[in-house]
Amino acid sequence: MRVLVTGGAGFIGSHVVEELTARGHEPVVHDLRADARCDVRDGPAVARALAGVDAVCHQAAMVGLGTGFGDAPDYVSHNDLGTAVLLAAMADAGVRRLVLAGSMVVYGEGRYDCPRHGVVRPGPRAAADLDAGRFEPRCPRCGAELTPGLVAEDAPVDPRNVYATTKLTQEHLAAAWARSTGGTAVSLRYHNVYGPRMPRDTPYAGVASFFRSSLARGEAPRVFEDGRQRRDFVHVRDVAAANAAALEAQPPDGTLTAYNTGSGDPRTVGEMARTLAAACGGPEPVVTGEYRLGDVRHITADSARLRAELGWKPEVGFEDGMREFARAGMRGAGR
């Protein structure tokens, strides 16, 4: 299969290219890092790149929380306009298979259970609570303490920052494209991806990159809140394998299918920072109590659907992955 990989020179995209090659496919890289003319927002350039292509693996995106709401036009341009241009070119070219780099951020908070009211959806955390160190969401009906659990694909979506909003819009655009063209679309909702070639020293990366960059400078990782926020850290090679599995699958025509893509092994941010610091031989993390208003407290994946329907399973365990990450090279700053 000849596969156009947008963002194919980036962190995740480069691993997707390697995985596809190892499986006997022919990846075609389309990435601004490789060639300034390879902007996914450039319709004629995308049309040329689609010549002879059987499928598209869309990894190109501006990621992370960025530096503030002033980044909103860039996020919308790169993520949503870029996706619209790509899908329009695919419709014209007759390319009918798409795998999209989705994100768990579309859910907002993860799943929570109240002892009295069952599954509930807490609203955004208030700045006053965060300032006072009250980080855990409470039941919106009775104020009770909640138990976090694994979020499934049928959970309501609730994007709570600009990046999350653009990732959900990408899914809506892909679903509309699939309905219009009869194409097949899969969105892999990545959880916290880490591993070799992560970008360093940039506000447009994930927490693992922030910690690794600090340790590379000999500085202690700075852990926000109390460090007990739960995440699902999934290795980039496992994510690349999920992309290949999705491209080789036969999802239903005319619709978008979403799959959580996580390790299924929830860890706290503080635990990840300590494990990475120990693997690097660096200073112990510092828990700061600081927060970012767009962050959610707990979000961990139920990836059972991806395992059952596509036969995928993660192969890299948390400790082994963190030890490798501690030794691995990182990419220069960039989006």
Side-chain angles (χ1 to χ4, degrees):
M1 188 187 313
R2 184 175 169 87
V3 182
L4 179 67
V5 183
T6 69
F11 165 45
I12 298 175
S14 63
H15 287 275
V16 171
V17 167
E18 289 179 356
E19 179 70 17
L20 291 174
T21 301
R23 293 190 183 213
H25 300 296
E26 182 186 355
V28 178
V29 173
H30 189 83
D31 195 303
L32 275 170
R33 297 173 184 83
D35 187 332
R37 293 169 295 177
C38 290
D39 190 330
V40 77
R41 297 166 294 180
D42 182 341
V46 172
R48 289 191 296 272
L50 286 169
V53 160
D54 303 300
V56 173
C57 188
H58 184 29
Q59 304 293 318
M62 185 174 173
V63 300
L65 283 183
T67 59
F69 199 84
D71 284 332
D74 280 345
Y75 275 104
V76 172
S77 177
H78 282 273
N79 297 355
D80 297 338
L81 175 60
T83 299
V85 169
L86 172 65
L87 293 172
M90 289 175 65
D92 288 343
V95 179
R96 298 290 181 262
R97 182 179 293 269
L98 171 72
V99 173
L100 171 69
S103 176
M104 54 84 177
V105 295
V106 300
Y107 297 116
E109 290 284 353
R111 175 190 170 106
Y112 292 89
D113 290 282
C114 170
R116 290 181 57 191
H117 298 107
V119 177
V120 295
R121 295 283 296 176
R125 296 180 295 171
D129 286 335
L130 296 170
D131 286 336
R134 295 188 292 269
F135 301 121
E136 295 289 346
R138 296 279 179 155
C139 176
R141 298 176 64 183
C142 68
E145 292 185 6
L146 300 173
T147 302
L150 302 181
V151 64
E153 290 88 351
D154 60 357
V157 291
D158 185 16
R160 296 188 176 181
N161 55 59
V162 171
Y163 171 60
T165 301
T166 64
K167 295 306 289 184
L168 182 57
T169 300
Q170 283 185 314
E171 288 195 358
H172 289 322
L173 287 166
W177 166 84
R179 285 193 298 270
S180 174
T181 64
T184 64
V186 170
S187 177
L188 297 175
R189 290 175 175 171
Y190 301 160
H191 282 247
N192 289 72
V193 186
Y194 74 96
R197 302 178 212 148
M198 280 197 90
R200 66 175 182 267
D201 298 321
T202 169
Y204 301 94
V207 65
S209 173
F210 297 162
F211 293 166
R212 179 70 172 76
S213 295
S214 295
L215 289 163
R217 297 191 298 269
E219 301 171 2
R222 294 177 58 80
V223 179
F224 281 10
E225 300 186 22
D226 58 3
R228 296 177 184 171
Q229 53 273 50
R230 287 158 49 101
R231 297 292 187 268
D232 185 313
F233 298 100
V234 58
H235 195 277
V236 67
R237 286 197 299 275
D238 287 331
V239 169
N243 276 273
L247 284 163
E248 293 168 352
Q250 295 296 327
D253 294 342
T255 188
L256 178 137
T257 306
Y259 293 103
N260 286 334
T261 307
S263 70
D265 183 19
R267 304 282 178 147
T268 68
V269 171
E271 182 182 7
M272 188 273 283
R274 291 190 298 272
T275 302
L276 186 58
C280 288
E284 283 284 310
V286 175
V287 178
T288 67
E290 299 172 33
Y291 65 87
R292 297 188 300 182
L293 198 57
D295 278 341
V296 297
R297 179 61 174 175
H298 304 295
I299 176 71
T300 53
D302 180 351
S303 299
R305 183 179 183 183
L306 180 58
R307 295 170 184 244
E309 296 186 8
L310 300 190
W312 171 90
K313 64 175 183 173
E315 300 289 346
V316 183
F318 178 76
E319 287 80 8
D320 288 343
M322 286 296 161
R323 282 193 292 269
E324 180 197 23
F325 185 39
R327 301 187 300 268
M330 299 182 74
R331 305 174 68 92
R335 300 183 185 181

